[in-house]
């Protein structure tokens, strides 16, 4: 972060009562690379007139916080939010949002005009967005005004056109929704007086579908006995067990039976397997047939075990 130097005037009072003023340079760290530009004060600052509170330069910062606009916010809060809206408008104008830049420009422009109307100051005109205000101001990169035009007449025309458009849209809707009595059209109004959670009508749709016995129709009821397969981990094991039971169910007509083998040997009694004779072990039962040229080959695994877990 670079240094920023602020020129200041410091007062020093001596013992005899004389006051001397010294010019001091104060240094501060800043989180910006923009060059310092001191605020315009006094006659250098351009006056800003509000139709609600008069000239805003006559009020200090504490007094501006007491000037409440019709929206309920103070003048200082409106200045703060309008500064942020101007930053968003310039970002959208530079095309940072791609195809949404034009919509965002119009959105920020409308918001800026609404805040300015709430403050009672002259609104900014955006003719390229078809949003006219009181004044069109064009500045250069050094923030010096180049063009100042009065657009109050255009703003009045736009307001009158919006009112006319709103009134005509209602008339057009009334004409389109008006029935043609010569053709027998009538407006029918249905009152929805049934509470959506308490329906006392017992005639449901399946009961209204009655078969025509003369045409040979009959009512067939199909029961869905397949269990619902939920993808949740909690119900997946239960559903898989039910499906396996149904798939493993024997067909008694074909003579199938379900046989159950009980494993009555506990895991602790498995030591007897290692006490068996060498003749009863499975690898020894595989004897080679020497007549066919078979022979027994023993292979030792001398490769050390490699763990995949790396600490």
């Amino acid at each position: 972060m670079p240094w920023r130097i602020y020129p200041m005037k410091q007062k020093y009072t001596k013992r005899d009562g004389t006051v001397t003023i010294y010019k001091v340079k104060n240094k501060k760290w800043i989180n910006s690379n923009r060059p310092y530009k001191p605020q315009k004060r006094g006659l250098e600052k351009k006056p800003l007139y509000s139709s609600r509170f008069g000239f805003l330069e006559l009020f200090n910062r504490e007094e501006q916080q007491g000037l409440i606009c019709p929206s309920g916010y103070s003048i200082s809060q409106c200045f703060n939010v309008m500064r942020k809206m101007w930053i968003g408008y310039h970002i959208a104008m530079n095309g940072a949002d791609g195809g949404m830049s034009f919509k965002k420009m119009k959105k920020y422009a409308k918001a800026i005009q609404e805040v300015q109307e709430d403050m009672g100051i002259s609104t900014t005109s955006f003719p390229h967005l078809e949003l006219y205000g009181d004044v069109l101001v064009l500045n250069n990169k050094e923030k010096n005004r180049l063009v100042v035009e009065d657009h109050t007449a255009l703003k009045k025309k736009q307001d009158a056109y919006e009112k006319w458009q709103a009134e005509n849209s209602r008339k057009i809707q009334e004409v389109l929704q008006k029935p043609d009595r010569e053709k027998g059209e009538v407006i029918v109004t249905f009152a929805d007086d049934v509470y959506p959670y308490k329906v006392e009508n017992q005639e449901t749709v399946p009961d209204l579908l009655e078969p025509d016995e003369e045409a040979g129709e009959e009512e067939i009821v199909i029961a869905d006995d397949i269990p619902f397969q939920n993808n949740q981990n909690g119900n997946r094991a239960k559903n898989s067990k039910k499906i396996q039971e149904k798939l493993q169910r024997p067909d008694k007509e074909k003579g199938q039976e379900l046989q159950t083998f009980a494993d009555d040997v506990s895991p602790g009694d498995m030591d007897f397997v290692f006490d068996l004779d060498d003749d009863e072990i499975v690898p020894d039962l595989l004897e080679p047939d020497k007549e066919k040229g078979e022979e027994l080959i023993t292979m030792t695994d001398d490769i050390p075990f490699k763990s995949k877990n790396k600490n």
Side-chain angles (χ1 to χ4, degrees), residues 66-280:
L67 302 177
I68 306 300
C69 299
S71 61
Y73 296 97
S74 63
I75 285 288
S76 57
Q77 290 176 329
C78 293
F79 274 122
N80 189 21
V81 72
M82 191 165 57
R83 176 182 62 84
K84 296 178 180 179
M85 288 178 182
W86 275 112
I87 292 172
Y89 173 79
H90 287 299
I91 291 172
M93 187 174 61
N94 293 331
D97 299 324
M100 298 293 293
S101 297
F102 182 78
K103 292 183 179 179
K104 287 197 173 182
M105 285 173 63
K106 204 163 187 177
K107 172 186 173 183
Y108 284 117
K110 286 182 179 179
I112 289 168
Q113 288 183 348
E114 289 176 0
V115 175
Q116 289 173 345
E117 288 179 357
D118 189 29
M119 296 171 64
I121 61 178
S122 57
T123 57
T124 307
S125 182
F126 301 92
H128 56 288
L129 300 176
E130 297 181 355
L131 295 174
Y132 294 98
D134 296 328
V135 182
L136 172 65
V137 180
L138 296 178
N139 300 335
N140 57 6
K141 293 183 179 180
E142 298 177 356
K143 295 185 179 181
N144 296 324
R145 292 188 178 181
L146 300 177
V147 178
V148 179
E149 294 182 1
D150 188 8
H151 284 186
T152 52
L154 296 174
K155 182 182 177 182
K156 291 180 180 179
K157 288 183 180 180
Q158 186 178 12
D159 295 340
Y161 175 74
E162 289 178 355
K163 290 180 181 179
W164 173 82
Q165 191 176 17
E167 293 175 357
N168 284 346
S169 62
R170 293 177 183 176
K171 292 179 181 179
I172 292 169
Q173 287 180 0
E174 291 176 358
V175 172
L176 292 176
Q177 295 176 359
K178 188 179 294 184
D180 192 355
R181 295 183 179 179
E182 296 179 356
K183 296 181 180 180
E185 295 178 357
V186 181
I187 294 179
V188 180
T189 305
F190 297 94
D192 188 6
D193 55 352
V194 179
Y195 191 68
Y197 299 101
K198 293 182 180 180
V199 181
E200 298 178 354
N201 188 7
Q202 298 180 356
E203 295 182 356
T204 56
V205 176
D207 296 335
L208 295 176
L209 299 175
E210 298 179 357
D212 190 359
E213 297 179 355
E214 296 178 357
E217 297 179 355
E218 59 180 2
E219 187 176 358
I220 301 174
V221 180
I222 301 174
D224 186 6
D225 55 351
I226 300 174
F228 179 71
Q229 297 181 6
N230 194 357
N231 292 327
Q232 299 293 333
N233 296 328
N235 298 329
R236 187 176 299 173
K238 296 180 181 178
N239 292 335
S240 62
K241 289 180 181 179
K242 292 180 181 178
I243 294 169
Q244 285 180 3
E245 289 176 359
K246 291 203 171 186
L247 293 176
Q248 295 176 1
R249 186 179 297 172
D251 192 356
K252 295 182 180 180
E253 296 179 357
K254 297 181 180 180
Q256 297 178 358
E257 295 180 358
L258 185 64
Q259 296 180 358
T260 305
F261 297 93
D263 187 6
D264 54 352
V265 180
S266 62
D269 297 337
M270 294 297 292
D271 297 336
F272 77 94
V273 177
F274 302 98
D275 297 336
L276 295 174
D277 297 335
D278 296 337
D279 297 337
E280 297 180 1

Side-chain angles (χ1 to χ4, degrees), residues 3-70:
W3 281 102
R4 177 171 289 178
I5 300 174
Y6 296 89
M8 299 175 61
K9 293 181 179 180
Q10 189 174 4
K11 294 181 180 180
Y12 179 72
T13 306
K14 297 181 180 180
R15 291 182 179 180
D16 56 355
T18 58
V19 178
T20 56
I21 298 175
Y22 298 95
K23 290 184 179 181
V24 182
K25 292 183 179 180
N26 188 10
K27 291 184 178 181
K28 289 185 180 180
W29 288 105
I30 58 167
N31 192 13
S32 175
N33 293 324
R34 294 182 180 179
Y36 172 69
K37 210 170 198 181
Q39 296 182 357
K40 294 180 180 180
R41 300 182 182 277
L43 298 176
E44 297 179 357
K45 192 172 183 179
K46 296 178 181 178
L48 188 62
Y49 179 76
S50 172
S51 59
R52 305 184 191 278
F53 310 108
F55 289 99
L56 299 178
E57 288 77 15
L58 301 177
F59 302 94
N60 56 21
R61 293 183 179 180
E62 294 182 359
E63 292 174 348
Q64 286 184 359
Q65 292 178 1
L67 302 177
I68 306 300
C69 299

